[in-house]
Amino acid sequence: MEITVAKSAGFCFGVNRAVHMVHDLLEKGEKVCTLGPIIHNPQTLQELHAKGVQIVESPEEAPSDATLVIRSHGVPQSVLDEIQTRQLKCADATCPFVKKIHTLVSKASAEGKIVLIAGDKNHPEVEGIRGYCGDCYIFKDAVELEQLTSNIPHLNQKPVLIVAQTTFSVSEWENCLEIIKRVYTNATIFDTICNATAKRQSEAAELSEHCDAMIVIGGRQSSNTAKLRDVCRQNCTTYLIETADELPLPALKGAASVGITAGASTPASIIKEVLVTMSEFIENAGANSTESADTSFEEMLEESLKSLNTDEKVHGVVVGIAPNEVYVDVGRKQAGFIPVAELSADPNVKPEDLVKIGDEMDLLIMRTNDQEGTIMLSKKRLDAAKGWETIAAAEENEEILTGVVTEVIKGGVIAVSNGVRVFIPASQATASRNDPLEDLLKKEVKFRIIEVNRNRRRAVGSIRSVLKDERKALADKFWEIAEEGKEYTGVVKSLTAYGAFVDLGGIDGMIHISELSWGRIKHPSEVVNVGDTVNVYIKGLDSEKGKISLGFKRAEDNPWEILKRDYPTGTVADVTVVGMTTFGAFARIIPGIDGLIHISQIADHRIEKPQDVLKVGEVVKAKITDIDFDKKRVSLSIRALLEPVEEEVAPVEEEAADAE
């Protein structure tokens, strides 16, 4: 086994400075208390506690005769003010990199800028930074940043300063920067991730790419240690331990190479203890040989089997099934069993879902225990050996494979195909980056292999590549038969200010906002939502540009057709006054159609303005006196309903005059 230790493992400058400050105070005979744990390492804290160092949660708890040490994370200005008010002796061990952030956000807030902080809102460093801000918002990753931009859209119109927690994930910061540069074009950005943090994460990532397993040493409460674990976990099996006693030695037996890194709060003594324990383990196991980079997979497999005291391949018959293992008869005096972890590459599988009594299968002997009379077997490893040939061939031939997504992990998903775990990055897992990865869990998917590392037994796949080809095939078929007027049933895929995009099954078309309703609307969401199933028809096709214009409104719903059918000229209707002008009032006849009541048609006598008789919202009876369908105009009259009374009087008066 080859062991490699990352160059930047262990104490960073800020933590080292804080711990030394406490030790220096103790050597001077001073009574010391720290504002919160000085370091996220239980062993170091125990050592300091034994020397009399007390941990307090607030300045109020600090003894008046003790020196209060502020840890490297820093504290809000209000805490410093309280320390000064209480006249406590204080030693400030705030990391200079953190103090720089305090200065940046304090100045920005004084200038009226809004501060955005990339980090864990519950981490003491972020709590300290927040104490120097006015208006500020905190996001822990790109997902929360996207939510922030949606929930508070006005932020992109204001001056913004953006900083990061010094131990923030470098890769996640890069994801956030893509969003920041797209949305907050007026933002001032400071990359405040500590250089030591960035270097430590970079080295850990590179080392984990070349190792079968990684050991990350550090306190479980340490933010930067947790990020190291997450970085390494993307590339290989990773274990987080606090001391050498927690080393997973049995699990490391099959590893040809092991990498070791440590968080910024891990003392050198603990790293050394882990190395000594690992060296003794290798010496005792007799596994001090390493493989060259060009060793074939078959040779590596054979060597790993030797280190596991493996015997040979055998053929077995399932004779029993338990929750944690399967019992197999391999034709020997020993009882054969397959641990559930060695049954399948899917960690969530249940034995009864995979095998039944009487099933026959080829297996690999992993360990023989003559004293107990048992043989430990593996189906997973033999499947993987065979499966790798299929995986490698699939990459060369660009063959499409099928597999089941068994895990959703940071950065993507794991799919099992032919007994091999294939990593599919988030960028390659779905048709759109906004599609949730969780929807893929337990689903069978099709993918291509885009990268294979046989030495490290790693494969990278792409579901998006297959989906893209499938959509292209559907699109080609669509264009062959598409014609204007043809109707389709589709699903609303996304909304914009100017319309709705509809998935017609492999190709998208757009319903312009003017086509969504016969009435006036401000946004497509007033009519449809993402995910709605809609019936549409093709209004226009542009095969060269690949654009499809869709119609959504139905002719029978056209309010002008309804008016023509149900409200001919001469109809008396109840109308609602919706607006006033100097020359008359507009009234709603039916939704989508307003008519004009000219000022001369409002009353049977002269009026100065429409408001003298009518008010907005009032319902009145009016007669439709004229309809111009070409110009989409309707004339209404209230007076026409009053004039017949006057017109009946006029002839009588005329007859009387004639009689005289």
Side-chain angles (χ1 to χ4, degrees):
M1 182 188 296
E2 181 182 14
I3 298 176
T4 306
V5 181
K7 296 178 181 178
S8 300
F11 274 176
C12 71
F13 164 77
V15 172
N16 193 46
R17 174 172 171 267
V19 173
H20 273 296
M21 189 176 291
V22 172
H23 281 295
D24 289 344
L25 290 169
L26 290 173
E27 289 176 4
K28 294 176 183 177
E30 293 193 31
K31 185 176 181 180
V32 179
C33 61
T34 63
L35 192 55
I38 193 69
I39 185 174
H40 283 148
N41 182 271
Q43 291 71 38
T44 302
L45 292 178
Q46 289 174 8
E47 177 189 346
L48 293 176
H49 177 71
K51 294 182 178 181
V53 176
Q54 179 184 352
I55 298 175
V56 297
E57 298 302 324
S58 67
E60 184 181 3
E61 297 177 15
S64 58
D65 59 341
T67 299
L68 180 63
V69 179
I70 296 174
R71 56 188 173 178
S72 59
H73 301 127
V75 294
Q77 181 62 49
S78 59
V79 175
L80 294 177
D81 294 340
E82 183 181 355
I83 291 172
Q84 187 174 8
T85 300
R86 293 181 178 276
Q87 298 182 339
L88 296 172
K89 290 189 291 183
C90 176
D92 190 353
T94 302
C95 175
F97 294 110
V98 176
K99 277 197 171 182
K100 176 185 175 183
I101 302 177
H102 293 174
T103 302
L104 290 172
V105 300
S106 177
K107 181 181 178 183
S109 295
E111 294 172 351
K113 293 182 179 179
I114 295 175
V115 177
L116 301 187
I117 306 170
D120 179 357
K121 64 181 180 181
N122 297 317
H123 193 277
E125 180 187 320
V126 175
E127 291 175 346
I129 296 170
R130 186 166 49 188
Y132 291 85
C133 301
D135 289 340
C136 75
Y137 300 89
I138 301 168
F139 56 92
K140 69 178 182 181
D141 51 28
V143 174
E144 283 199 358
L145 179 58
E146 285 279 18
Q147 293 172 349
L148 182 65
T149 61
S150 300
N151 297 337
I152 313 176
H154 69 273
L155 281 182
N156 61 8
Q157 305 297 323
K158 297 186 176 182
V160 174
L161 175 83
I162 301 175
V163 296
Q165 182 180 335
T166 57
T167 56
F168 196 68
S169 167
V170 176
S171 59
E172 194 60 40
W173 175 247
E174 291 172 353
N175 294 336
C176 294
L177 284 180
E178 293 181 8
I179 301 170
I180 291 167
K181 292 176 180 178
R182 170 169 50 85
V183 178
Y184 301 106
T185 53
N186 59 343
T188 303
I189 305 169
F190 284 93
D191 183 353
T192 51
I193 298 177
C194 173
N195 291 335
T197 296
K199 186 177 180 181
R200 185 180 285 104
Q201 290 181 15
S202 175
E203 287 182 1
E206 184 178 354
L207 182 56
S208 63
E209 288 178 353
H210 299 89
C211 291
D212 295 329
M214 283 292 295
I215 303 296
V216 179
I217 314 168
R220 289 185 172 81
Q221 302 303 316
S222 168
S223 172
N224 73 84
T225 302
K227 290 182 176 66
L228 285 176
R229 176 199 58 200
D230 294 340
V231 165
C232 297
R233 185 184 283 171
Q234 296 181 35
N235 298 320
C236 68
T237 303
T238 301
Y239 303 92
L240 191 156
I241 64 172
E242 289 187 348
T243 66
D245 294 337
E246 296 179 8
L247 274 169
L249 298 179
L252 296 174
K253 283 186 177 180
S257 57
V258 176
I260 296 177
T261 187
S265 54
T266 307
S269 59
I270 294 181
I271 300 174
K272 183 177 180 180
E273 183 184 359
V274 169
L275 283 172
V276 170
T277 304
M278 287 291 293
S279 299
E280 291 174 351
F281 166 68
I282 294 173
E283 184 177 346
N284 293 335
N288 52 10
S289 62
T290 59
E291 298 296 332
S292 60
D294 59 351
T295 304
S296 69
F297 174 71
E298 290 78 13
E299 291 172 338
M300 290 176 65
L301 177 61
E302 188 65 26
E303 192 63 33
S304 68
L305 297 183
K306 290 178 183 177
S307 67
L308 287 169
N309 193 25
T310 303
D311 189 2
E312 58 186 88
K313 296 178 185 177
V314 292
H315 188 76
V317 179
V318 177
V319 294
I321 301 174
N324 298 320
E325 55 193 18
V326 174
Y327 305 109
V328 184
D329 181 2
V330 294
R332 299 191 180 191
K333 62 180 181 179
Q334 297 97 337
F337 70 96
I338 311 169
V340 67
E342 293 297 329
L343 192 61
S344 168
D346 182 353
N348 304 310
V349 74
K350 295 180 180 178
E352 59 268 25
D353 295 336
L354 286 184
V355 298
K356 61 182 182 297
I357 304 296
D359 281 356
E360 297 185 21
M361 62 187 74
D362 290 326
L363 301 163
L364 206 60
I365 297 178
M366 293 184 62
R367 187 174 297 113
T368 300
N369 190 326
D370 291 325
Q371 291 181 344
E372 296 181 3
T374 60
I375 303 175
M376 188 166 74
L377 305 160
S378 174
K379 181 177 183 294
K380 178 179 74 174
R381 295 175 187 249
L382 201 58
D383 289 345
K386 297 175 182 176
W388 270 105
E389 298 307 319
T390 303
I391 295 293
E395 182 200 23
E396 295 176 4
N397 304 329
E398 297 188 357
E399 179 185 350
I400 296 176
L401 300 176
T402 59
V404 175
V405 175
T406 59
E407 295 178 73
V408 177
I409 63 174
K410 185 176 178 65
V413 300
I414 298 294
V416 176
S417 177
N418 296 286
V420 177
R421 288 163 57 86
V422 178
F423 172 64
I424 301 175
S427 61
Q428 297 294 328
T430 56
S432 169
R433 286 182 178 270
N434 297 324
D435 295 340
L437 298 180
E438 288 72 19
D439 290 350
L440 296 175
L441 193 60
K442 303 300 181 185
K443 300 285 181 62
E444 186 175 83
V445 294
K446 296 178 181 179
F447 55 88
R448 284 191 177 90
I449 300 298
I450 57 177
E451 180 185 337
V452 168
N453 186 327
R454 292 171 65 100
N455 291 336
R456 298 189 56 237
R457 287 167 281 177
R458 288 193 67 220
V460 180
S462 171
I463 296 174
R464 177 174 289 185
S465 168
V466 177
L467 293 176
K468 184 178 179 181
D469 287 352
E470 289 178 346
R471 288 184 67 86
K472 185 178 184 305
L474 289 171
D476 292 342
K477 184 177 180 180
F478 174 89
W479 285 106
E480 289 177 5
I481 60 175
E483 58 184 25
E484 291 187 12
K486 193 167 184 177
E487 295 189 357
Y488 289 86
T489 298
V491 177
V492 178
K493 187 177 179 180
S494 62
L495 301 178
T496 67
Y498 52 84
F501 286 91
V502 178
D503 183 353
L504 302 176
I507 194 166
D508 295 343
M510 190 192 79
I511 310 172
H512 192 270
I513 189 171
S514 62
E515 279 296 320
L516 284 168
S517 173
W518 287 104
R520 185 184 297 275
I521 59 173
K522 295 181 179 180
H523 193 272
S525 59
E526 296 177 39
V527 180
V528 294
N529 293 304
V530 173
D532 285 355
T533 299
V534 293
N535 294 317
V536 295
Y537 61 91
I538 296 178
K539 284 199 68 179
L541 292 168
D542 188 338
S543 57
E544 291 185 3
K545 295 182 179 179
K547 293 184 177 180
I548 305 164
S549 299
L550 300 175
F552 182 72
K553 297 183 298 187
R554 302 294 166 179
E556 57 268 27
D557 297 329
N558 187 339
W560 289 98
E561 293 298 321
I562 296 172
L563 187 77
K564 181 184 291 186
R565 183 187 68 214
D566 299 336
Y567 298 83
T569 301
T571 299
V572 176
D574 290 330
V575 298
T576 303
V577 179
V578 294
M580 302 282 191
T581 68
T582 56
F583 54 83
F586 286 97
R588 177 74 37 81
I589 305 169
I590 58 175
I593 297 182
D594 297 342
L596 173 66
I597 310 173
H598 192 271
I599 192 170
S600 64
Q601 298 299 314
I602 291 176
D604 56 358
H605 56 277
R606 181 180 179 81
I607 60 175
E608 294 298 325
K609 57 184 181 298
Q611 290 88 339
D612 292 341
V613 177
L614 302 174
K615 58 183 179 180
V616 173
E618 182 181 2
V619 178
V620 297
K621 285 191 178 295
K623 183 178 182 180
I624 299 176
T625 58
D626 185 53
I627 303 175
D628 188 333
F629 287 99
D630 293 333
K631 295 182 179 180
K632 299 290 189 293
R633 293 177 180 173
V634 182
S635 298
L636 299 172
S637 173
I638 298 174
R639 179 179 178 181
L641 301 177
L642 305 174
E643 284 184 343
V645 177
E646 299 176 358
E647 290 173 0
E648 288 176 4
V649 175
V652 174
E653 293 176 348
E654 290 174 2
E655 288 175 6
D658 291 340
E660 291 177 359

